[in-house]
Amino acid sequence: MTIVRIRMIALPEKQKEVMQTLLSMIESTGKERGCLSHHVLRDIEDENVYSLIDEWETREDLDQHIRSAKFGVLLGTKSLLCEPPNIQIHTVSNSERMAAVNADRDKRT
């Protein structure tokens, strides 16, 4: 699995435009091949900070998304931002669920 986190800081006067752009992408990105989840989050302490968090089945699926016109629109928001978007791509080799948390908590003394 591949996880992408994109952090964007909107110019205060461009916040609405950034939000509209991000909201317009939610449904269609979530329907792309290999997209497991796509979330847009807004920071509760600074309303100008947005994070996009995507999960992709494979790096190839993500690469196809990055080459899409839709991702180009996202990169085109740079004039609405205080600084270039901070993009992080993480490859996950192992995932655990709540059972792992419960097992660890059961080991408490």
Side-chain angles (χ1 to χ4, degrees), residues 38-73:
H38 176 74
H39 302 281
V40 175
L41 309 167
R42 189 159 127 190
D43 192 294
I44 61 172
E45 294 178 1
D46 185 343
E47 62 186 16
N48 297 313
V49 177
Y50 297 90
S51 292
L52 284 75
I53 301 176
D54 293 355
E55 296 176 329
W56 297 88
E57 282 188 50
T58 67
R59 178 59 197 245
E60 292 76 23
D61 294 331
L62 171 61
D63 290 345
Q64 185 170 339
H65 172 67
I66 288 172
R67 290 189 297 269
S68 72
K70 188 181 313 138
F71 196 82
V73 169

Side-chain angles (χ1 to χ4, degrees), residues 6-109:
I6 302 173
R7 185 172 185 269
M8 306 168 73
I9 304 173
L11 293 165
E13 67 275 11
K14 299 295 184 179
Q15 183 189 99
K16 184 176 181 179
E17 291 172 68
V18 171
M19 176 64 91
Q20 288 172 336
T21 301
L22 297 176
L23 289 174
S24 73
M25 298 176 68
I26 289 176
E27 187 174 338
S28 59
T29 299
K31 292 180 180 178
E32 287 185 44
R33 181 181 61 113
C35 183
L36 301 172
S37 68
H38 176 74
H39 302 281
V40 175
L41 309 167
R42 189 159 127 190
D43 192 294
I44 61 172
E45 294 178 1
D46 185 343
E47 62 186 16
N48 297 313
V49 177
Y50 297 90
S51 292
L52 284 75
I53 301 176
D54 293 355
E55 296 176 329
W56 297 88
E57 282 188 50
T58 67
R59 178 59 197 245
E60 292 76 23
D61 294 331
L62 171 61
D63 290 345
Q64 185 170 339
H65 172 67
I66 288 172
R67 290 189 297 269
S68 72
K70 188 181 313 138
F71 196 82
V73 169
L74 178 67
L75 294 178
T77 63
K78 64 184 174 192
S79 64
L80 308 174
L81 306 176
C82 294
E83 59 190 49
N86 179 334
I87 301 175
Q88 299 174 344
I89 300 172
H90 305 277
T91 302
V92 179
S93 61
N94 183 41
S95 293
E96 296 182 81
R97 297 186 184 269
M98 191 63 186
V101 172
N102 290 336
D104 284 344
R105 291 193 53 80
D106 288 344
K107 292 177 187 175
R108 291 184 299 175
T109 54

